[in-house]
Amino acid sequence: MTTQQETRAHAAAKPVRWAADTVAAMREGAGLRLDYSAQSLWRVDRLIEEIRREGAPYDAVDSALRGFGSYAGEVIVRQTGAEWWTSGGDHWVRTPNGSLWDPIDEARRCFAGHGSLRLLCRDATAGARTA
C-alpha cells in the first residue's frame, strides 16, 4: 500500500527531472543560467516568445515547452512549499492554499502568444502567501 506522500513524490518525479534537464540544456546549449528564481522566468518567457517568432512548429518544441513549464512549476514549488500532483498523465502544482496551477499548459499558452510563466508564478506565489 502506498501512502499519500509516496504518491506525491511519484507525481513530482517527472516534472522535477524535466525541469533539471531544461536547466542543463539551457546552460549548455544557450549559455543561459536558470537559477529557479522568479526573476529567471522573465528570460524563459522571452525565450519562448523568440522560439514562437522564429516560426518553430509546435510538434518540434512541445518537449521544450514541457520542460519550461516544469521549470516554472519548480520555481513555484520551491518558493511556496507547493507539491506536484498528477492525474491522467497531466501534472499540476498545488500550492499550500489548495489552488491548482498548470505551468506546463501555461508554457504552451506562452508559445501560442497568450500566457506568461512569470505572471503565473507571481499569481501562484501571491496566492500562497495570502492563504
Side-chain angles (χ1 to χ4, degrees):
M1 178 174 197
T2 62
T3 66
Q4 193 173 33
Q5 189 169 16
E6 289 170 335
T7 302
R8 290 182 187 153
H10 177 71
K14 286 184 179 180
V16 168
R17 185 181 70 238
W18 295 330
D21 289 349
T22 297
V23 168
M26 290 298 99
R27 182 182 59 242
E28 294 166 13
L32 180 64
R33 185 174 179 270
L34 300 178
D35 60 3
Y36 293 97
S37 68
Q39 294 80 12
S40 69
L41 294 174
W42 281 90
R43 291 181 294 237
V44 175
D45 276 348
R46 285 194 309 262
L47 184 58
I48 293 171
E49 172 64 20
E50 205 173 291
I51 293 168
R52 183 175 69 79
R53 277 187 302 193
E54 289 174 359
Y58 176 80
D59 290 342
V61 297
D62 185 42
S63 175
L65 295 172
R66 182 186 66 200
F68 291 137
S70 296
Y71 172 76
E74 270 300 291
V75 171
I76 295 166
V77 165
R78 292 174 184 210
Q79 289 196 1
T80 67
E83 298 176 306
W84 282 101
W85 287 67
T86 186
S87 176
D90 293 326
H91 295 82
W92 301 279
V93 170
R94 184 172 188 255
T95 50
N97 68 355
S99 296
L100 287 173
W101 305 88
D102 191 344
I104 296 173
D105 186 58
E106 190 68 13
R108 293 175 178 137
R109 289 175 39 77
C110 289
F111 183 70
H114 307 293
S116 169
L117 293 172
R118 177 186 58 82
L119 295 178
L120 177 83
C121 180
R122 182 198 66 189
D123 293 348
T125 57
R129 284 191 296 268
T130 61

